[in-house]
Amino acid sequence: MVTFLRYLIILTLFGGVLFWFLTRPQHADADLFAGVSGDAGRGETIFWAGGCASCHAAPKAKDEARLVLAGGYRMISPFGTFIAPNISPSEQGLAGWTVQDLGNALLYGTSPDGTHYYPAFPYGSYQHMTPQDIADLKAFLDTLPPSDMADKPHELGFPFTIRRGIGLWKHLNMSSGWVLKEAGIPALERGRYLVEAVGHCGECHTPRDWTGGLDRSQWMQGAPNPSGKGRIPGISPAKMDWSATDIVYYLETGLTPDYDSAGGQMVSVIANMGHLSKDDRSAIAAYLKALPENR
Ligand code: HEC
Ligand code: HEC
């Protein structure tokens, strides 16, 4: 009995140390942003490509109001409801944040005080962003109007309230590689960067496994809507027979080849895509058309 207890204590200690080790928050290297200076004009493109306003603008904000990043948007998921925080340049938002802080958040999902963010903030995609783009984005965010809206707590049940456990999620789900391995030409490389990293299209259009991570073997094949209502369509060549021109037109206007207009969460994605250059929308279409036919 005594031996058994001793064994149990050792096992618990070992398990605790392993959990502590596996769930440590990661940070960007201290010199990642050395010599990189941000340009707000270029940052605006990254802001729209990254869809920050879709989650961080007040719900139902339109046009200019989408630049006030007051938070409050509710994201319903099987784990509970996440409420996007204020990220405007104010005391309630990102006042005092450095580029390094923003880098830690976007690349590692780690907060300035060293805790894990929930992956409802799509850093699993943003982790591929370049330091230059993050510095540019920071410069742009600094120019936006402040809001003093206070953050609301997420509405989650146990055990999802324990942030430390997100470290395990990151171990299972943060994949450093690209899904489309061969990009070849520059337009495709740009498309891959816009879709897989900044635009985080896979976060909605790819199904998730039991951990809530993206099932990359079914990339862009469509998925149940996390809100529980309806399905998000597949956009890989196997699931969508639109031409590249159709896709570019849709991303600009929200109109499908059958003259339907886009609905659901795609409405705000299209409001963002309209701010990109035609070349960038074409690069996104080229990427989608280049995904393997067999999936
Ligand atoms: C799909 C919705 C979504 C999108 C898109 C999104 N975020 Fe967020 N973001 C969230 C959620 C939810 C949180 C809260 C995470 C948490 O509490 O762990 C968050 C947290 C943050 C934080 C931490 C704020 C704090 O107070 O600690 C920053 C910074 C941030 N987001 C910046 C951005 C930027 C910049 C973009 C665009 C490149 C962006 N987010 C796009 C949902 C989103
Ligand atoms: C927040 C979730 C979300 C994100 C992020 C998202 N989409 Fe969508 N997308 C949707 C939904 C929902 C629809 C269905 C719209 C409808 O019902 O009209 C859709 C529809 C589409 C369609 C039309 C498919 C069809 O058969 O009607 C295309 C093309 C598309 N998305 C491309 C993209 C691209 C490219 C990105 C990344 C830049 C992206 N989406 C990011 C949710 C999302």
Side-chain angles (χ1 to χ4, degrees):
M1 195 59 202
V2 175
T3 345
F4 177 72
L5 268 181
R6 193 179 297 151
Y7 177 73
L8 205 68
I9 290 168
I10 290 172
L11 204 70
T12 312
L13 281 178
F14 182 72
V17 170
L18 189 70
F19 181 79
W20 179 85
F21 184 78
L22 284 178
T23 58
R24 279 169 317 158
Q26 310 283 309
H27 295 87
D29 288 340
D31 59 0
L32 189 64
F33 293 97
V36 181
S37 70
D39 175 283
R42 284 195 311 248
E44 181 173 6
T45 301
I46 297 303
F47 174 80
W48 294 120
C52 317
S54 293
C55 292
H56 289 284
K60 302 212 165 70
K62 290 252 173 339
D63 306 325
E64 282 291 294
R66 299 183 81 225
L67 292 173
V68 187
L69 304 177
Y73 177 71
R74 299 171 64 86
M75 299 172 67
I76 299 165
S77 82
F79 307 101
T81 298
F82 297 94
I83 304 174
N86 182 337
I87 61 161
S88 73
S90 80
E91 285 307 320
Q92 297 289 348
L94 304 190
W97 277 50
T98 61
V99 175
Q100 183 84 20
D101 290 335
L102 188 64
N104 287 333
L106 292 169
L107 300 173
Y108 294 95
T110 301
S111 76
D113 61 8
T115 55
H116 293 296
Y117 287 123
Y118 289 102
F121 171 22
Y123 54 75
S125 299
Y126 296 149
Q127 65 168 326
H128 299 290
M129 286 174 70
T130 63
Q132 182 64 61
D133 281 354
I134 293 172
D136 292 344
L137 178 59
K138 176 72 169 62
F140 179 69
L141 292 176
D142 288 344
T143 68
L144 296 180
S147 154
D148 55 11
M149 186 72 79
D151 291 347
K152 290 174 200 66
H154 304 309
E155 295 160 10
L156 307 171
F158 185 80
F160 306 117
T161 43
I162 304 174
R163 284 183 183 262
R164 187 82 195 195
I166 299 167
L168 290 179
W169 185 93
K170 289 181 179 174
H171 264 280
L172 293 171
N173 294 302
M174 294 285 274
S175 153
S176 54
W178 297 109
V179 178
L180 183 71
K181 298 274 179 268
E182 298 291 325
I185 55 171
L188 257 190
E189 238 166 63
R190 177 72 178 163
R192 178 173 69 180
Y193 181 67
L194 288 172
V195 172
E196 292 194 22
V198 192
H200 64 275
C201 318
E203 301 272 346
C204 288
H205 287 281
T206 300
R208 294 176 184 272
D209 60 20
W210 64 274
T211 68
L214 297 181
D215 177 357
R216 292 181 173 80
S217 71
Q218 300 198 53
W219 191 242
M220 304 296 184
Q221 300 254 36
N225 199 313
S227 69
K229 283 185 236 135
R231 269 189 78 77
I232 299 181
I235 54 173
S236 67
K239 301 279 172 185
M240 190 179 69
D241 58 5
W242 299 10
S243 69
T245 317
D246 292 339
I247 300 173
V248 174
Y249 187 71
Y250 177 80
L251 293 176
E252 187 185 345
T253 63
L255 294 174
T256 72
D258 311 324
Y259 304 104
D260 266 344
S261 48
Q265 298 107 305
M266 199 57 198
V267 173
S268 76
V269 177
I270 286 165
N272 302 331
M273 292 289 123
H275 290 273
L276 301 188
S277 68
K278 184 142 201 298
D279 281 353
D280 276 351
R281 285 190 295 268
S282 300
I284 291 175
Y287 168 90
L288 292 178
K289 297 298 284 182
L291 288 173
E293 271 289 349
N294 59 0
R295 31 165 155 144

